[in-house]
Amino acid sequence: MKPTLFLLAAGMGSRYGGLKQLDGLGPNGETIMDYSIYDAIQAGFGKIVWVIRKDFEEQFRTQILSKYEGQVPCELCFQALDALPEGFTVPEGRVKPWGTNHAVLMGKDVIKEPFCVINCDDFYGRDAFMQIGKFLAGLKEGSKNEYAMVGFRCCNTLSENGSVARGVCAYNDKRHLTDVVERTEIMRIPDKGNAICYKDGDEWFPLEENVPVSMNMWGFTPDYFEYSEAYFKEFLSDPKNMQNLKAEFFIPLMVNKLITEGTATCEVLDTTSKWFGVTYAADRQATVDRIKKLVDEGVYPNKLF
């Protein structure tokens, strides 16, 4: 069974055309998302699923889904603030969605095969899709508890225009993930020999050039939905999560629970792909230039779809 690509796109709001996820960066106005979908198809993915907000379904179908007709099967699912387990209600005053793993949960009814979760506004690169696609396609039918994440080499994920936030990964001798630590400021520091460093408090500490970092590119099997449902109830039952109107149910939170208790493993896949995106406004032109270079080199056709 071919794996499915699951794009987290519920963050797109009503200011639709002004969001960076839909910024035309390719030679014919292609978005970063278009390149991810093209790469996924090349890597053997058989279906594309988006999680979006219900209030712009019609616009999304017209402006986005229509371009993929005839290319690959597509489906939508919807994230809503009140999509909660029975017995739970939205706390008064909460307007922020419940986070990335809540968004993943919304795919339970439409995804019955191994799947890869990605952000819709990160350029992951062909090799990254090849690595995760190979892993998912290689799983035995009915496999459970064997997950993966693409660990990008830290040096391939930096911005020239400021610091970035990355999940720095540790793994064992089987390349199974043992820990992800979120570092909110990572950049090269000239005063430290231009080494990659992360900031903790007021100090900068060095990171290895090739230490794997998470770019939110995960590979799961459908059993992940069941674990997520159960743990989401625990999350909502914790008073501090209900009192904090910005508390979020993140993917790494779920993965960390499963690997810590020994329920599942998560293999850290290496990739030579170089991430890029529009973290800062100043990144935009560099991203346009890098895509043009890839088109000029023949990695991508001039017009994708």
Side-chain angles (χ1 to χ4, degrees):
M1 188 177 293
K2 290 185 174 183
T4 285
L5 181 67
F6 192 14
L7 292 104
L8 304 184
M12 293 182 184
S14 54
R15 295 180 298 106
Y16 203 56
L19 296 183
K20 65 181 181 180
Q21 293 97 327
L22 296 171
D23 192 4
L25 303 171
N28 291 283
E30 291 88 355
T31 66
I32 285 178
M33 182 167 61
D34 290 328
Y35 287 97
S36 291
I37 291 169
Y38 183 87
D39 280 340
I41 293 170
Q42 300 301 306
F45 284 75
K47 183 171 73 176
I48 312 297
V49 176
W50 289 263
V51 55
I52 65 170
R53 280 172 35 189
K54 183 69 174 177
D55 58 350
F56 60 85
E57 177 185 3
E58 184 177 348
Q59 196 171 15
F60 193 92
R61 288 187 183 279
T62 301
Q63 296 186 21
I64 304 299
L65 258 62
S66 60
K67 76 171 74 174
Y68 305 119
E69 287 179 355
Q71 304 286 339
V72 63
C74 298
E75 293 198 51
L76 296 179
C77 56
F78 307 98
Q79 184 181 24
L81 192 60
D82 60 356
L84 299 175
E86 189 175 344
F88 294 93
T89 56
V90 178
E92 185 178 352
R94 182 170 182 117
V95 295
K96 189 176 179 65
W98 294 98
T100 52
N101 211 57
H102 179 249
V104 169
L105 259 175
M106 301 303 101
K108 181 186 177 185
D109 293 335
V110 296
I111 298 176
K112 305 298 181 184
E113 55 282 320
F115 63 100
C116 170
V117 178
I118 65 167
N119 299 329
C120 64
D121 56 351
D122 286 312
F123 191 104
Y124 291 99
R126 180 80 48 79
D127 184 68
F129 284 99
M130 290 293 182
Q131 297 301 329
I132 194 79
K134 180 181 178 182
F135 174 88
L136 293 172
L139 293 172
K140 294 179 181 177
E141 188 173 348
S143 288
K144 294 183 176 181
N145 307 327
E146 295 179 61
Y147 309 144
M149 60 157 287
V150 176
F152 283 73
R153 300 171 189 179
C154 189
C155 61
N156 287 338
T157 72
L158 304 178
S159 168
E160 296 178 357
N161 299 298
S163 64
V164 295
R166 300 286 181 256
V168 179
C169 303
Y171 57 87
N172 61 22
D173 56 358
K174 295 181 179 179
R175 286 195 69 90
H176 289 167
L177 185 69
T178 57
D179 194 25
V180 180
V181 179
E182 187 70 19
R183 298 297 184 189
T184 56
E185 289 187 69
I186 298 176
M187 62 189 301
R188 292 194 182 276
I189 305 298
D191 291 348
K192 292 185 177 289
N194 213 34
I196 301 173
C197 298
Y198 69 89
K199 194 174 188 179
D200 189 2
D202 294 327
E203 291 190 58
W204 290 95
F205 299 89
L207 277 174
E208 293 179 15
E209 292 277 317
N210 291 322
V211 66
V213 297
S214 171
M215 296 301 304
N216 217 30
M217 191 177 203
W218 302 90
F220 299 121
T221 44
D223 52 290
Y224 184 79
F225 293 123
E226 298 169 28
Y227 297 129
S228 296
E229 277 189 319
Y231 193 38
F232 191 40
K233 292 177 184 177
E234 288 186 40
F235 178 90
L236 295 171
S237 298
D238 187 334
K240 74 173 187 293
N241 290 329
M242 296 301 272
Q243 292 163 9
N244 178 1
L245 299 181
K246 295 185 177 180
E248 294 190 55
F249 185 46
F250 290 121
I251 295 171
L253 182 71
M254 183 74 250
V255 172
N256 189 58
K257 172 181 167 62
L258 293 174
I259 64 175
T260 299
E261 66 188 20
T263 299
T265 59
C266 183
E267 186 173 337
V268 180
L269 307 175
D270 183 38
T271 180
T272 57
S273 284
K274 295 184 178 181
W275 168 91
F276 54 91
V278 188
T279 305
Y280 300 95
D283 291 332
R284 187 185 188 282
Q285 188 56 51
T287 298
V288 170
D289 293 343
R290 289 174 76 169
I291 290 175
K292 183 179 184 303
K293 186 171 185 290
L294 290 169
V295 172
D296 290 345
E297 291 171 348
V299 177
Y300 297 102
N302 188 62
K303 186 171 175 59
L304 288 182
F305 298 105

